[in-house]
Amino acid sequence: MLPEIQDASCAELERWCVDAGEPRYRAEQILAWVHRKRAPSFATMSSLPRTLRERLGSAFRLERFEPAVVAEAADGTRKLLFQLPSVDAKRPAAIESVLIPQVDRPTGARDRLTLCISTQAGCGMGCGFCATATMGLVRNLSPAEIVGQVAAGEALAAPRPLTNVVLMGMGEPLANYDAVRTALEILSAEWGYAISPRRITVSTVGLAPMIPRFIAETRVNLAVSLHATTDAQRNRLVPVNRRYPLATLLAACQAVPLPRRKRITFEYVLLKDENDTDEDARRLVRLLHGLRAKVNLIPFNPFPGAAFAPSPRARVLHFQAILREHHLNVTIRESRGQDIQAACGQLAVARPAA
Ligand code: SAH
């Protein structure tokens, strides 16, 4: 099978052009047809010489994909299910994206339309409070499959433009780093989707050694899934903590110069009687002391078979109040799309019965 052109970075396509005896500047023209104009085929790229179009057609494929199912929640959140090609029929590579409208009353001036996309089918990180973990890792997504979710999300949202893209769906983005980096280049480039990096956020479980590289090579926002304030507690909730414990993770966050990025977001899912006490809140304050941090508290979204319960609302607010008293910048991520299992940590595509 020919390589998919939507998997190529600009540098890779420039090399192909040079090798093919074409001027280097053609690469951006080709990419603008592929990504910005969403041309359906090489033949329709009318500003390119015919010989180049033919060459492209014999060197690459160009395939678009569409969601197999779109479900809509009572709150207007929509979940897109994609069936991607899989190597193993018993483990289909199904993924989901979520389109989340947020209305800002009364002016509407800050209305948002956020698309949450997946970077892997399933996930291998094994966090006990996340439904995606129950699938295990099926496979990494390619750059084409990551940006293809944005193409489909934009089409569904039209005529409204997306305001934000978050890589917080299925999978661990930094465990599929090369594909994610190419996808981020395509999403933010002028020849691509032209989404400002300030409006893109990548969330990681905390693969500490990848963080400096991520900061150096991309310009998008970083969110880190902290969820616990002691190693014993985090080992239980986020097993990767055994490899990269809190001190290692926070040192990696501490060490990064944050040029354009104002702060790192630390995500903290609130689980009843597990990590939601006043003591947890005070430890969180101490842990983040001296970091350019903001905290995003996530009320736990239950799923069938989950061994945790959500903290009562009063607890969530009290936890937030303690952080605020200590001058931490803290927000609560309101749960969206729960009735169609589209909220954080609810994405999972069942395997067909054997
Ligand atoms: N692998 C990445 C992206 C995961 S999803 C990461 O770990 O950051 C984005 C956020 O949702 C993460 O902070 C994740 O821990 C959180 N999450 C997972 N399951 C959840 C659940 N059931 N309820 C609320 N948040 C959950």
Side-chain angles (χ1 to χ4, degrees), residues 75-103:
D75 66 9
T77 298
R78 283 182 282 181
K79 183 164 85 167
L80 296 74
L81 168 75
F82 301 91
Q83 300 285 0
L84 301 176
S86 82
V87 272
D88 176 354
K90 285 208 210 75
R91 309 202 73 200
I95 57 156
E96 294 175 323
S97 318
V98 185
L99 188 61
I100 312 152
Q102 285 159 282
V103 180

Side-chain angles (χ1 to χ4, degrees), residues 253-273:
C253 296
Q254 186 83 260
V256 295
L258 294 172
R260 279 163 290 258
R261 299 173 183 82
K262 288 161 290 287
R263 287 163 196 281
I264 295 182
T265 298
F266 290 90
E267 295 157 290
Y268 194 98
V269 64
L270 284 162
L271 307 167
K272 182 166 189 280
D273 301 331

Side-chain angles (χ1 to χ4, degrees), residues 60 62 96 123 170 181 185 224 320 326:
F60 296 103
L62 171 54
E96 294 175 323
C123 184
M170 288 180 181
R181 189 187 50 192
E185 176 191 328
V224 174
Q320 178 185 39
H326 292 86

Side-chain angles (χ1 to χ4, degrees), residues 277-297:
T277 64
D278 292 2
E279 188 51 37
D280 287 300
R282 285 193 288 267
R283 267 199 306 263
L284 185 55
V285 169
R286 286 198 293 275
L287 216 50
L288 297 182
H289 184 76
L291 272 158
R292 297 174 71 187
K294 65 188 171 194
V295 176
N296 194 205
L297 297 176

Side-chain angles (χ1 to χ4, degrees), residues 313-332:
R313 187 70 185 175
R315 192 63 334 246
V316 174
L317 294 174
H318 190 68
F319 199 95
Q320 178 185 39
I322 296 175
L323 303 186
R324 285 226 164 118
E325 262 167 40
H326 292 86
H327 314 292
L328 268 173
N329 177 332
V330 48
T331 50
I332 298 175

